[in-house]
Amino acid sequence: MQKFNILWADDEIDLLKPHILFLQQRGYDVVTVNSGLDAVEKVEEQNFDIVFLDEMMPGMTGLEALQQIKILKPQVPVVMITKSEEEHIMNDAIGAKIADYLIKPINPNQILLSVKKILQNKQLISEKTNLSYQQDFRNISMAYNDAIDHEEWTDIYKKLTYWELEIDETENKSMQEVLETQKVEANANFAKFIKENYLDWLNEPNIKRPTLSHQVMKEMVFPKLTPGKPLFFVVIDNLRLDQWEIIEPLLSEYFVVEKDDTYFSILPTTTAFSRNALFSGMMPSDMARLHPDLWEGEDTDEGKNNKEEEFLQINLKKNRLNIKASYNKILQVNQGKAVLEQFSNLLKNDLNVLVYNFVDMMSHARTDMKMIRELAPNESAYRSLTHSWFLHSSLFELFKKISEAGAEVIVTTDHGTKRVNKPYKIIGDRNVTTNLRYKQGKNLNFESGKVFEISKPELAKLPKFNISTSYVFAVEDYFFAYPNNYNYYVNYYKDTFQHGGVSLEEIIVPIMHMIPKK
């Protein structure tokens, strides 16, 4: 056990000998002083892991000593001990960033609990987290090896995400490799599940299925519309469940999550397909057939998501919703500021749709820019970048304004992203799509196995550009690479975040209905 040094300042320190012996018997070194001034001098001379300060000492009070200690060594945790229950003393102590606050009379176990909570918190949490995950490991493995439905797969993904975030908080992350192995195995089984069920979801009318991209607005957004009350629908492009989980605590001060839900992104899990489906309420083949003026195929160089507002209006009309709706896409800081400036106007609408593209841009920048890759070398750092962006973003400011206005908001994304590591050789002509997680074209050559091939696009409700068009989706953490210039290509794209294929992270999408606390 690590040796911890404790400084205890109390003008009646002799009366606390039983408490001090109690701590010493448990391996803690305790230095005692009789005044606030002596406490400050000791902190200046010596390093302590924790300081106990009596609040009412003659001369320099505990609060005055606390201020001096925080100036000298701001990182040293200080526990204030007092007989007084006056609120202003408590407020002053908390405002000065104390680690704990104890009211006399105190017993030895109270002191021990405070010490452990402050000094051994991470160690004890790590031990408990690792033990709990080990106990849950078998349950998760048994679950995804059984014949299960989409709801159970969602539960498995939520559990894996929960443990990923919990283990990330542990000191040595000793269970991280075990979890990564379990996620790989879960994704392999999930790919089989999608291969066996995806086409049935789209073609069998009476089968049990998840809500898919094109059904989200009709099933999850439109029913929440209330006359005279603005509803905000925020789509954060390319946001995974784990990223949502680390920004949700920032929003908990302003909102209560009324419903924590998910839906399944359609294939390909890319913005061009899944987000257009989200807003239009149609599958890609229907968009291409019914609205060729709006749908941009793979054979054009035009932006694939420039007509989202028009698709949204079509969806509203199809559902006979004669409402006032706005649409805003935020790609740059100034666009986010403009939305905040016109917020009062948004409150006059029944529905406000806002698309924020930062997370998607971040994943692309991580691929293309060495500096971003160094800033986010792993999943944990990638989440941290998301958290930092959101904390300082115009989107967070927008959420605060929505809460202040007493409006409700639905937050979701169009698809997730997968960190890819394994190349998969594929050959196609010059017209084959460039996406690393799916390929669409004719005469595609590849080894069957770790892919999901759809040779009849019409069954997947996907556009068919010629008689031999097919789609191939990478699964698990594979990405497609061409044989020519293979090594360069593999080295460039390995360990990057991509989307378009089949994985838990890309397909199972969070969607939250939040009501303001105000």
Side-chain angles (χ1 to χ4, degrees), residues 205-428:
N206 299 317
I207 198 169
K208 186 180 178 183
R209 63 171 67 81
T211 298
L212 298 170
S213 303
H214 65 298
Q215 300 163 324
V216 167
M217 295 204 77
K218 183 176 181 180
E219 294 182 10
M220 296 177 151
V221 179
F222 294 157
K224 303 298 180 186
L225 290 168
T226 305
K229 279 188 70 178
L231 176 68
F232 288 80
F233 182 45
V234 176
V235 179
I236 307 173
D237 187 13
N238 204 9
L239 188 81
R240 298 190 314 201
L241 179 62
D242 61 327
Q243 292 169 297
W244 164 254
E245 294 288 354
I246 57 115
I247 65 175
E248 184 183 3
L250 296 172
L251 292 169
S252 62
E253 184 180 341
Y254 307 94
F255 292 94
V256 174
V257 175
E258 178 76 2
K259 189 166 186 187
D260 175 343
D261 215 336
T262 58
Y263 75 89
F264 277 44
S265 172
I266 63 162
L267 295 174
T269 48
T270 64
T271 306
F273 288 86
S274 59
R275 199 160 80 207
N276 276 325
L278 181 72
F279 288 129
S280 70
M282 292 179 277
M283 288 295 286
S285 58
D286 293 328
M287 284 184 271
R289 178 173 56 85
L290 298 173
H291 302 281
D293 55 323
L294 301 179
W295 176 260
E296 295 292 344
E298 299 284 4
D299 53 344
T300 72
D301 294 326
E302 297 297 318
K304 306 296 190 287
N305 287 82
N306 293 335
K307 305 295 182 182
E308 290 170 358
E309 187 171 6
E310 290 86 344
F311 276 131
L312 172 64
Q313 291 299 330
I314 289 167
N315 200 1
L316 290 170
K317 189 174 180 182
K318 183 173 63 175
N319 285 276
R320 298 177 183 177
L321 290 167
N322 185 23
I323 62 171
K324 193 174 179 185
S326 73
Y327 170 87
N328 284 278
K329 185 184 289 187
I330 294 86
L331 301 169
Q332 299 169 350
V333 172
N334 62 325
Q335 291 171 323
K337 288 179 179 176
V339 167
L340 294 176
E341 288 167 3
Q342 60 157 340
F343 180 75
S344 57
N345 293 328
L346 297 182
L347 293 175
K348 300 170 186 174
N349 300 323
D350 301 292
L351 175 65
N352 295 292
V353 176
L354 301 109
V355 177
Y356 283 79
N357 259 45
F358 177 83
V359 178
D360 186 56
M361 291 188 289
M362 181 175 72
S363 70
H364 289 297
R366 188 186 176 279
T367 300
D368 299 330
M369 297 173 64
K370 186 179 178 182
M371 184 185 73
I372 303 296
R373 200 179 289 205
E374 288 181 1
L375 277 174
N378 52 41
E379 301 276 11
S380 176
Y382 187 65
R383 284 191 291 271
S384 182
L385 269 187
T386 308
H387 181 276
S388 180
W389 159 72
F390 183 77
L391 181 62
H392 304 285
S393 69
S394 62
L395 176 55
F396 192 22
E397 293 304 312
L398 176 71
F399 277 120
K400 293 175 188 176
K401 281 181 173 286
I402 294 171
S403 174
E404 184 70 22
E408 297 185 11
V409 59
I410 295 173
V411 191
T412 191
T413 184
D414 45 5
H415 56 77
T417 189
K418 181 68 180 170
R419 190 179 178 196
V420 297
N421 281 297
K422 299 177 194 146
Y424 202 87
K425 284 185 181 178
I426 192 165
I427 301 171

Side-chain angles (χ1 to χ4, degrees), residues 60-221:
M60 182 182 282
T61 68
L63 282 172
E64 290 168 342
L66 171 63
Q67 291 174 346
Q68 293 299 314
I69 289 168
K70 284 296 178 184
I71 291 168
L72 288 169
K73 294 185 179 173
Q75 301 309 317
V76 175
V78 178
V79 177
M80 186 65 72
I81 302 173
T82 179
K83 287 178 183 175
S84 173
E85 295 188 37
E86 290 184 48
E87 191 175 350
H88 76 91
I89 294 175
M90 199 181 301
N91 290 343
D92 286 345
I94 293 169
K97 300 182 181 178
I98 56 161
D100 206 351
Y101 192 91
L102 303 177
I103 296 175
K104 292 181 178 181
I106 52 173
N107 63 56
N109 279 321
Q110 270 181 295
I111 294 293
L112 183 63
L113 177 61
S114 187
V115 170
K116 282 185 173 289
K117 188 168 64 176
I118 295 165
L119 298 182
Q120 294 173 266
N121 184 49
K122 285 189 177 180
Q123 175 199 333
L124 296 172
I125 288 175
S126 296
E127 289 171 1
K128 179 63 177 174
T129 298
N130 289 341
L131 180 62
S132 299
Y133 171 61
Q134 288 168 29
Q135 291 169 342
D136 207 20
F137 175 89
R138 185 168 176 271
N139 297 331
I140 296 170
S141 294
M142 286 175 65
Y144 62 63
N145 281 307
D146 290 341
I148 55 177
D149 63 16
H150 67 272
E151 290 175 343
E152 290 165 307
W153 267 115
T154 299
D155 289 340
I156 286 168
Y157 180 41
K158 284 182 175 179
K159 275 189 178 181
L160 289 169
T161 301
Y162 169 80
W163 285 120
E164 184 172 18
L165 297 178
E166 289 293 300
I167 290 168
D168 195 31
E169 292 295 315
T170 60
E171 283 190 302
N172 57 15
K173 299 179 174 51
S174 59
M175 296 304 294
Q176 193 169 52
E177 196 172 326
V178 177
L179 176 68
E180 285 300 320
T181 302
Q182 187 165 52
K183 281 176 64 183
V184 168
E185 191 176 326
N187 260 313
N189 282 271
F190 182 68
K192 292 174 189 172
F193 169 75
I194 292 296
K195 289 179 188 180
E196 290 167 5
N197 292 279
Y198 184 72
L199 296 181
D200 288 342
W201 292 341
L202 298 175
N203 295 285
E204 299 292 334
N206 299 317
I207 198 169
K208 186 180 178 183
R209 63 171 67 81
T211 298
L212 298 170
S213 303
H214 65 298
Q215 300 163 324
V216 167
M217 295 204 77
K218 183 176 181 180
E219 294 182 10
M220 296 177 151
V221 179

